[in-house]
Amino acid sequence: MTVECVAILAVLGIFTFSLARSGRRTTALALLPLLLVPLAFLAGMPLAATLASVTDIPRGTVRACVTLAGLVAACVLFGMLCGNFRSSRTRRLYLIMCGGFSAILTVILLFNLMTPLN
């Protein structure tokens, strides 16, 4: 799933950059937390290797915890940034869409991490 996370980061990064260049900086800022879950998944690899060599914590557990921490951080940022939208309908839609995307991506990444354990 490393390649998939890099692809997600590239697509979302390009989309956010193009929104910022077109003058929609607030919208581009609101999309930045979508990058946290794939970044946390990728950051979990070297962190898991480092912690596994120092402690007895399994690598899969560390990677899962770092990915879940990325989801929590993204959802907190979604909640903070939804105040930038004027209508409550837009706020609700933003939270559902972005939170749903991050939650589904996290479930897929965690399922992929746990599959080799079976």
Side-chain angles (χ1 to χ4, degrees):
M1 292 299 288
T2 303
V3 174
E4 289 84 355
C5 283
V6 171
I8 290 169
L9 287 172
V11 168
L12 287 174
I14 290 168
F15 187 63
T16 304
F17 179 75
S18 65
L19 277 173
R21 292 279 301 185
S22 69
R24 302 171 90 187
R25 288 183 174 84
T26 306
T27 307
L29 178 68
L31 292 180
L32 282 178
L34 288 174
L35 300 173
L36 285 179
V37 172
L39 277 174
F41 182 79
L42 293 175
M45 286 187 282
L47 186 63
T50 304
L51 284 177
S53 65
V54 176
T55 64
D56 294 335
I57 302 172
R59 289 182 182 196
T61 304
V62 173
R63 290 184 70 189
C65 288
V66 170
T67 304
L68 285 173
L71 174 65
V72 169
C75 287
V76 167
L77 286 174
F78 291 142
M80 291 170 59
L81 291 173
C82 75
N84 292 337
F85 298 108
R86 292 183 182 141
S87 70
S88 63
R89 182 175 185 217
T90 308
R91 282 187 216 121
R92 194 174 329 120
L93 185 63
Y94 169 74
L95 288 173
I96 290 170
M97 296 297 289
C98 291
F101 172 80
S102 295
I104 291 170
L105 180 61
T106 302
V107 168
I108 291 169
L109 293 173
L110 291 177
F111 181 73
N112 188 13
L113 279 176
M114 298 303 159
T115 301
L117 298 177
N118 294 333

